[in-house]
Amino acid sequence: MFRSRGRRITALAAWLGFGLTLAAAAGPTARKIVDDEVRREIAARGVARVMVFLDTPVPDGRDLPALEQAVAQAQDVAIAAGGTGFQIRHRFQGVPALAGEIDAAALGRLGRANGVLQVSLDGGGRGSLAQSVPQIRADLLQALGATGEGVTVAVIDSGIDTRHLDLADDLVAEACICHTNGGCCPDGTALQMGPGSALDDNGHGSHVAGIVTSAGQVAPRGVAPDAGIVAVKVIAADNSFCCASDVVSALDWVLSK
C-alpha cells in the first residue's frame, strides 16, 4: 500500500466526479441516454466499444468498501441485462461504470434496464503536455518551503523512466493497464503489475512526472521535488491510448490501494 484507504488522490475526483454526479443527480425515472456515436459504430462494425455509466447510490465517500459493494451490485444488474452480447473489458471497483464491447441486441436491452444512465463510445486520444513550473508560479511556493514532502502523486500516462537521475528515487508503486495494439505493457500484455510494469517507452509520462517531482539534477526542478510518484502506464510507445476505460481503470486501481 502506498497510502491509507481513507485518503483520496486529487486527480481521481475529475474522473469519478462525472459518474458519481450522474448517479447522485438521477432518480429512478432518469432518462437513459445512448449516444448516437454508439449506434453509428454498431451499424458500421456490428459492435462498439463503450462505457456504460450506472445509477449507483453514493455512500459516504470515506467508506470505500460500501462504495465498492454498491458499484458491484449495479454492475451485476447491467451485465445480466446485456447478456452475451456485452463483452466486459473493465469492471471497475469504485467507479459506477462498466466498459466493454456491445452489439445491437445487447444495447437495446441495456437501454431498457434499470440503473443504466448513459452508454457512450469508449474513445481514445493522444497525450499532451502541461505548464512548466514558472508558468504556474510554483517556484514561489517552493521558496516558501512547499516541496511536496509527504505527498504521493499518481501519474496516469506512458509510464516513468526510473533510470533518470531526476526521477530515480521518486517511484512508490507502478502498474500498466494498456490495451492499445492488443497490449502495450512491457511484458507484451494489456495488464501488468509490480516492478518494471510502468517502464516508459514513449517519454511523455517521464516528462509529466518530471514536471511534478524532478530533482533538478539534469532537467529543471519540478513543482514538488520531494513528492512520491505512483506511475500507471496507459499510453503506448506511439503516444496513443486505445480507450478511456484504460484511464478510468488506472484511476480505479489507484483508488483501491
Side-chain angles (χ1 to χ4, degrees):
M1 294 179 67
F2 51 82
R3 64 175 179 85
S4 67
R5 290 176 69 87
R7 298 178 61 187
R8 294 292 180 269
I9 293 179
T10 302
L12 193 62
W15 281 92
L16 289 182
F18 174 64
L20 296 179
T21 298
L22 280 175
T29 59
R31 183 169 63 95
K32 293 182 283 290
I33 300 172
V34 176
D35 290 351
D36 291 339
E37 291 85 353
V38 175
R39 301 186 190 280
R40 286 196 290 266
E41 183 75 2
I42 290 176
R45 295 182 53 241
V47 295
R49 179 178 287 168
V50 297
M51 289 277 289
V52 179
F53 297 97
L54 305 173
D55 183 6
T56 306
V58 183
D60 187 327
R62 294 167 295 184
D63 190 347
L64 184 57
L67 172 63
E68 292 177 346
Q69 181 180 10
V71 168
Q73 290 172 348
Q75 288 172 336
D76 286 343
V77 173
I79 290 170
T84 58
F86 184 25
Q87 300 299 312
I88 305 300
R89 180 181 292 271
H90 292 290
R91 178 168 179 158
F92 310 113
Q93 295 181 29
V95 179
L98 289 161
E101 285 197 339
I102 197 166
D103 62 21
L107 182 65
R109 291 192 295 270
L110 275 180
R112 297 187 297 271
N114 292 328
V116 176
L117 294 178
Q118 185 168 349
V119 182
S120 301
L121 275 185
D122 184 9
R126 303 187 69 82
S128 58
L129 299 178
Q131 297 95 338
S132 64
V133 171
Q135 287 176 319
I136 62 173
R137 300 185 179 181
D139 52 338
L140 302 180
L141 288 175
Q142 291 174 1
L144 296 174
T147 63
E149 185 175 358
V151 175
T152 299
V153 180
V155 177
I156 314 300
D157 209 289
S158 65
I160 188 171
D161 181 3
T162 56
R163 299 163 296 181
H164 197 291
L165 291 177
D166 288 329
L167 303 174
D169 297 333
D170 297 325
L171 189 63
V172 175
E174 58 184 308
C176 175
I177 303 171
C178 190
H179 287 81
T180 304
N181 302 322
C184 66
C185 294
D187 65 359
T189 68
L191 181 64
Q192 184 180 349
M193 303 291 171
S197 58
L199 182 65
D200 189 0
D201 55 4
N202 171 269
H204 187 274
S206 298
H207 187 120
V208 172
I211 291 174
V212 176
T213 190
S214 170
Q217 298 184 54
V218 178
R221 202 173 188 218
V223 173
D226 292 330
I229 292 291
V230 172
V232 188
K233 178 177 175 62
V234 298
I235 294 179
D238 64 2
N239 196 40
S240 69
F241 61 96
C242 78
C243 35
S245 59
D246 275 1
V247 180
V248 177
S249 189
L251 291 166
D252 193 53
W253 178 81
V254 170
L255 175 66
S256 70
K257 298 304 172 185

